[in-house]
């Protein structure tokens, strides 16, 4: 049955109800048993795509689970929504925009129309402009005002104008050009920009002001501080043209800031900020690793796009990850989902996915504006797996909360220390095995009896040493972390998020939830700047503003006494 226009609530759908019944059958099953009764389980529950291998066998699922989940996907018209995504339909319905991060890596160059106009020519022009610019900077043809080669690049941006390029820059370290370092400034705390600028030379620094709207207060505040820092050295506004470029949709505000439009790299409103690293928001990456490698990343993402488009739902990586996430979120009531990379270069991936996922699906109103009566986007969190093992894995192994997690593991390392990589790889597999199988009371006794030296007061400890297991994980094995495989990996998660947004009937591409904080910040900032006692907010906020006033007054008085 097809849920026309997704008007019927998720929980009313017949496939959803079948899953509820299925859940009661599956919940009591232990994965140990599921593996023991089917020697082919791992093989059956593994999909591969061009060196990216997803083993989803360590999940709380039987052979019927995925087919039932795929029926849910069909009942919410996932396949037709997927077509709408790629074709440029305005699926961002509250902002009346298409969602076309896929067009940015559309290596096939087939036309994609927005309001009747093919967007590919402007995308290709932007890539050409980035290629020419980055070539000049990387070769030294583009020098600073004192004719010195650029050695440092600063990307000033926040959210999607920071997290994506920063994550990719870290992930592709082995591909960077020597002698060209990228720095990322995002926090409006002056300490962030201070600790960056204090070590750099304005003569050899290029600044990229990255902001889709070019109105984000944190970014513009930092940009003005950087501009002042630069002019203190350059002493001539004409030199700004050699050291400042902008990435934005907003020509008016870019010009107002004082950046020549020749030095502006355009992006478009049909690309969401958290999906924009493939655009000129990725300029810092292009400068660092070169356009050839950037294009390899685009091609990897395009390859995953094709897989997402063409693979049958039951063999479709983004669909499988998305539906398994729904399975835990909506049937096992898991509140969060862990992302644990076992590759140092992917250490910022969890932070990137926090925005990509939680700013997309952290919503409680469906695309028709109706309050939902089911759980939507989970809390996404994580860090490098090895570090997590020594920080919070205790809670995953023996806590009371279900925490499904993705283990992302590189098979081959860029490091010369193969033996270290073996240790990391072994840890990754040991953790997913331990989370799945646990350790029974009898097994714990057996381990304890064999331990040397013998464990004291066993009876007091033994129950603390038992592992229930049956904790679900996905393992993503990457042949090697390269521009291409990174592109595939990021696109995989973008499409996973899309799948879940469709299941939960959300608009995954707006972010109204960030507006109120911005609005109140402006009000409180004005209040802070007034000398009088503030009473216009709630008692708590008033008290804290007035307390801040008093602290600043005392500090100013102290400074007066010192200077007097
Ligand atoms: O406030 C949230 C947000 O709009 C994100 O969605 C976005 O990535 C970030 O702020 C930065 O926005 P901009 O690129 O327009 O400065």
């Amino acid at each position: 049955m097809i849920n026309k226009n997704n008007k019927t609530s998720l929980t009313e759908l017949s496939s959803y109800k079948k899953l509820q019944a299925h859940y009661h059958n599956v919940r009591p099953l232990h994965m140990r048993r599921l593996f023991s009764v089917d020697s082919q389980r791992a093989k059956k529950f593994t999909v591969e795509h061009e060196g990216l291998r997803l083993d989803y066998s360590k999940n709380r699922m039987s052979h019927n689970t995925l087919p039932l989940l795929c029926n849910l996907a069909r009942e919410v018209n996932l396949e037709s929504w997927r077509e709408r995504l790629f074709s440029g339909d305005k699926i961002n319905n509250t902002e009346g925009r298409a969602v076309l991060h896929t067009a940015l890596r559309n290596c096939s160059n087939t036309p994609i129309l927005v309001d009747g106009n093919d967007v590919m020519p402007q995308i290709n022009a932007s890539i050409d402009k980035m290629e020419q610019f980055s070539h000049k900077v990387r070769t030294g043809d583009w020098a600073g005002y004192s004719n010195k080669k650029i050695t440092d690049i600063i990307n000033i941006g926040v959210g999607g104008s920071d997290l994506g390029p920063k994550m990719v820059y870290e992930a592709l370290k082995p591909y960077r050009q020597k002698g060209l370092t990228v720095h990322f400034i995002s926090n409006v705390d002056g300490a962030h920009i201070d600790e960056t600028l204090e070590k750099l030379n304005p003569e050899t620094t290029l600044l990229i002001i990255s902001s889709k709207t070019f109105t984000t207060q944190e970014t513009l505040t930092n940009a003005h501080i950087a501009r002042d820092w630069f002019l203190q050295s350059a002493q001539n506004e004409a030199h700004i043209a050699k050291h400042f470029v902008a990435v934005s949709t907003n020509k008016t505000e870019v010009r107002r800031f004082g950046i020549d439009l020749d030095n502006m790299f355009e992006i478009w409103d049909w690309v969401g900020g958290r999906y924009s690293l493939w655009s000129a928001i990725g300029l810092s990456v292009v400068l660092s690793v070169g356009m050839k490698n950037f294009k390899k990343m685009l091609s990897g993402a395009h390859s995953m796009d094709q897989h997402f488009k063409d693979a049958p739902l039951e063999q479709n990586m983004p669909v499988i990850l998305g539906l398994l996430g729904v399975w835990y979120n909506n049937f096992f009531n898991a509140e969060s989902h862990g992302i644990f990379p076992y590759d140092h270069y992917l250490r910022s991936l969890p932070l990137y996915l926090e925005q990509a996922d939680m700013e997309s699906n952290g919503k409680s109103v469906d695309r028709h504006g109706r309050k939902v009566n089911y759980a939507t986007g989970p809390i996404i969190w994580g860090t490098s797996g090895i570090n997590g093992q020594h920080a919070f894995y205790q809670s995953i192994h023996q806590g009371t909360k279900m925490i499904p997690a993705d283990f992302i593991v590189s098979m081959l390392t860029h490091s010369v220390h193969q033996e270290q990589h073996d240790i990391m790889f072994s840890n990754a597999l040991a953790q997913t095995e331990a989370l799945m199988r646990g350790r029974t009371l009898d097994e714990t006794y057996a381990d304890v009896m064999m331990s040397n030296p013998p464990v004291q007061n066993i009876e007091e400890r033994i129950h603390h040493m038992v592992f229930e297991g049956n904790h679900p994980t996905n393992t993503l094995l990457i042949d090697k972390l390269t521009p291409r495989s990174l592109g595939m990996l990021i696109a995989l998660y973008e499409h996973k998020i899309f799948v879940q947004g469709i299941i939960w009937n959300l608009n995954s591409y707006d972010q109204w939830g960030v507006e109120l904080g911005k609005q109140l910040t402006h009000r409180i900032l004005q209040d802070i700047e007034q000398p009088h006692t503030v009473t216009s907010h709630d008692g708590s906020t008033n008290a804290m503003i007035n307390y801040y006033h008093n602290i600043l007054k005392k500090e100013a008085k102290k400074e007066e006494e010192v200077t007097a």
Side-chain angles (χ1 to χ4, degrees):
M1 190 180 91
I2 294 294
N3 172 24
K4 278 279 175 237
N5 294 322
N6 293 50
K7 283 285 190 190
T8 309
S9 169
L10 176 66
T11 55
E12 300 307 310
L13 298 175
S14 61
S15 54
Y16 190 92
K17 291 176 179 171
K18 288 193 178 82
L19 279 162
Q20 282 176 318
H22 180 63
Y23 162 73
H24 291 294
N25 296 333
V26 169
R27 195 182 59 77
L29 302 178
H30 198 291
M31 284 189 266
R32 274 192 182 204
R33 174 153 176 70
L34 295 171
F35 274 102
S36 66
V37 299
D38 181 357
S39 62
Q40 298 303 301
R41 180 181 175 86
K43 190 170 186 301
K44 289 173 186 170
F45 290 175
T46 292
V47 288
E48 293 200 60
H49 177 73
E50 294 188 13
L52 191 57
R53 180 187 175 110
L54 168 62
D55 176 343
Y56 61 98
S57 60
K58 292 190 176 92
N59 274 293
R60 304 278 295 270
M61 63 190 290
S62 71
H63 288 93
N64 298 328
T65 307
L66 187 58
L68 288 171
L69 286 166
C70 287
N71 288 345
L72 177 64
R74 290 186 183 95
E75 195 171 2
V76 298
N77 314 303
L78 175 66
E79 287 148 314
S80 63
W81 280 101
R82 181 178 58 190
E83 278 165 34
R84 297 184 62 189
L85 167 72
F86 282 98
S87 63
D89 269 17
K90 295 184 177 180
I91 63 171
N92 175 355
N93 59 307
T94 62
E95 295 178 308
R97 293 173 181 170
V99 175
L100 279 172
H101 43 284
T102 51
L104 300 171
R105 64 247 190 168
N106 171 26
C107 308
S108 68
N109 226 12
T110 45
I112 298 172
L113 305 186
V114 172
D115 298 326
N117 302 310
D118 179 10
V119 296
M120 290 315 299
Q122 57 193 311
I123 290 172
N124 293 327
S126 174
I127 290 173
D128 290 346
K129 183 171 180 170
M130 286 201 281
E131 183 161 24
Q132 289 164 34
F133 176 68
S134 60
H135 179 71
K136 288 179 190 166
V137 172
R138 289 160 58 89
T139 57
D141 286 353
W142 179 295
Y145 70 87
S146 56
N147 280 322
K148 289 178 182 164
K149 195 169 170 358
I150 298 296
T151 59
D152 292 276
I153 295 156
I154 301 177
N155 182 81
I156 296 181
V158 72
S161 298
D162 166 69
L163 292 168
K166 186 171 186 287
M167 180 270 293
V168 171
Y169 175 69
E170 285 182 1
L172 298 183
K173 182 177 184 305
Y175 302 86
R176 293 179 199 165
Q177 172 167 302
K178 300 259 181 293
L180 203 51
T181 305
V182 181
H183 312 265
F184 293 87
I185 298 173
S186 52
N187 198 329
V188 77
D189 180 340
H192 195 178
I193 194 165
D194 290 346
E195 70 180 18
T196 304
L197 297 185
E198 67 192 12
K199 59 193 178 189
L200 300 183
N201 173 2
E203 295 178 66
T204 60
T205 300
L206 171 73
L207 291 105
I208 306 173
I209 314 303
S210 297
S211 177
K212 182 176 172 184
T213 57
F214 228 80
T215 58
T216 303
Q217 183 181 34
E218 296 90 335
T219 298
L220 292 184
T221 309
N222 277 321
H224 280 100
I225 291 174
R227 190 171 182 275
D228 295 345
W229 167 79
F230 172 74
L231 289 175
Q232 274 169 5
S233 163
Q235 293 296 312
N236 180 344
E237 296 216 358
H239 293 325
I240 284 181
K242 299 297 282 178
H243 292 265
F244 281 77
V245 298
V247 182
S248 187
T249 61
N250 193 333
K251 292 179 180 170
T252 307
E253 290 304 322
V254 167
R255 199 186 288 115
R256 190 198 308 271
F257 177 81
I259 291 177
D260 194 296
L261 293 190
D262 285 345
N263 287 354
M264 176 180 156
F265 294 81
E266 194 177 5
I267 54 178
W268 307 278
D269 67 10
W270 32 263
V271 175
R274 53 192 175 273
Y275 296 92
S276 63
L277 66 84
W278 320 97
S279 73
I281 289 288
L283 180 60
S284 55
V285 173
V286 178
L287 286 160
S288 171
V289 306
M291 181 51 85
K292 198 166 158 221
N293 283 315
F294 190 78
K295 283 183 174 176
K296 284 178 182 172
M297 186 180 76
L298 295 179
S299 71
H302 181 65
S303 169
M304 182 53 70
D305 291 346
Q306 297 307 106
H307 168 75
F308 177 48
K309 263 184 186 173
D310 302 334
L313 299 187
E314 286 77 2
Q315 280 94 48
N316 194 307
M317 277 190 190
V319 171
I320 291 167
L321 286 182
L323 291 177
L324 286 173
V326 167
W327 181 231
Y328 296 123
N329 191 67
N330 295 84
F331 296 92
F332 284 81
N333 300 318
E335 298 275 322
S336 80
H337 188 98
I339 304 286
F340 306 140
Y342 282 78
D343 185 315
H344 179 62
Y345 291 142
L346 286 176
R347 60 193 181 278
S348 291
L349 181 67
L351 196 54
Y352 168 74
L353 290 176
E354 281 175 16
Q355 183 196 12
D357 198 306
M358 295 170 79
E359 198 168 75
S360 296
N361 291 336
K363 290 159 187 173
S364 55
V365 168
D366 71 17
R367 61 171 44 250
H368 305 296
R370 299 174 306 188
K371 189 89 176 121
V372 297
N373 66 343
Y374 46 81
T376 60
I379 298 160
I380 301 294
W381 65 288
T383 190
S384 290
I386 292 292
N387 303 78
Q389 291 171 202
H390 299 274
F392 49 73
Y393 276 35
Q394 162 64 42
S395 180
I396 306 173
H397 280 289
Q398 294 187 323
T400 59
K401 294 186 173 47
M402 170 185 258
I403 303 177
D406 297 348
F407 283 65
I408 303 167
V409 193
S410 294
M411 305 301 283
L412 298 173
T413 178
H414 288 279
S415 165
V416 296
H417 304 296
Q418 180 59 44
E419 67 289 354
Q420 305 243 123
H421 187 71
D422 294 347
I423 293 170
M424 182 172 72
F425 185 76
S426 304
N427 270 277
L429 269 55
Q431 290 297 332
T432 59
E433 182 181 359
L435 287 166
M436 183 279 289
R437 67 188 311 281
R439 184 172 68 182
T440 64
L441 182 60
D442 292 347
E443 288 163 344
T444 306
Y445 264 119
D447 285 352
V448 163
M449 300 311 280
M450 285 191 301
S451 66
N452 182 19
V455 173
Q456 304 305 317
N457 58 17
I458 290 174
E459 285 316 313
E460 281 165 37
R461 291 185 185 186
I462 195 73
H463 291 288
H464 298 267
M465 299 166 74
V466 172
F467 289 70
E468 278 183 14
N470 222 20
H471 302 301
T473 60
N474 297 307
T475 303
L476 271 165
L477 300 174
I478 308 171
D479 276 0
K480 187 167 188 176
L481 186 57
T482 64
R484 183 173 174 78
S485 64
L486 179 66
M488 282 199 282
L489 181 69
I490 299 167
L492 168 60
Y493 276 99
E494 288 179 340
H495 295 317
K496 170 207 171 176
I497 293 163
F498 170 81
V499 167
Q500 294 188 331
I502 298 302
I503 299 290
W504 294 322
N505 201 19
L506 304 174
N507 174 5
S508 300
Y509 301 99
D510 59 14
Q511 51 284 323
W512 301 109
V514 303
E515 296 308 320
L516 182 56
K518 292 181 183 178
Q519 180 191 340
L520 290 174
T521 297
H522 282 296
R523 264 187 56 194
I524 292 173
L525 203 52
Q526 285 165 350
D527 291 337
I528 280 173
E529 282 153 7
Q530 305 301 324
H532 58 253
T533 301
V534 172
T535 56
S536 60
H537 301 268
D538 59 273
S540 162
T541 307
N542 288 335
M544 290 190 280
I545 293 171
N546 297 323
Y547 180 55
Y548 185 65
H549 266 156
N550 295 336
I551 291 279
L552 293 182
K553 273 184 208 151
K554 277 185 202 158
E555 199 58 23
K557 198 154 175 272
K558 258 195 254 173
E559 277 170 18
E560 272 169 28
E561 285 157 9
V562 166
T563 50

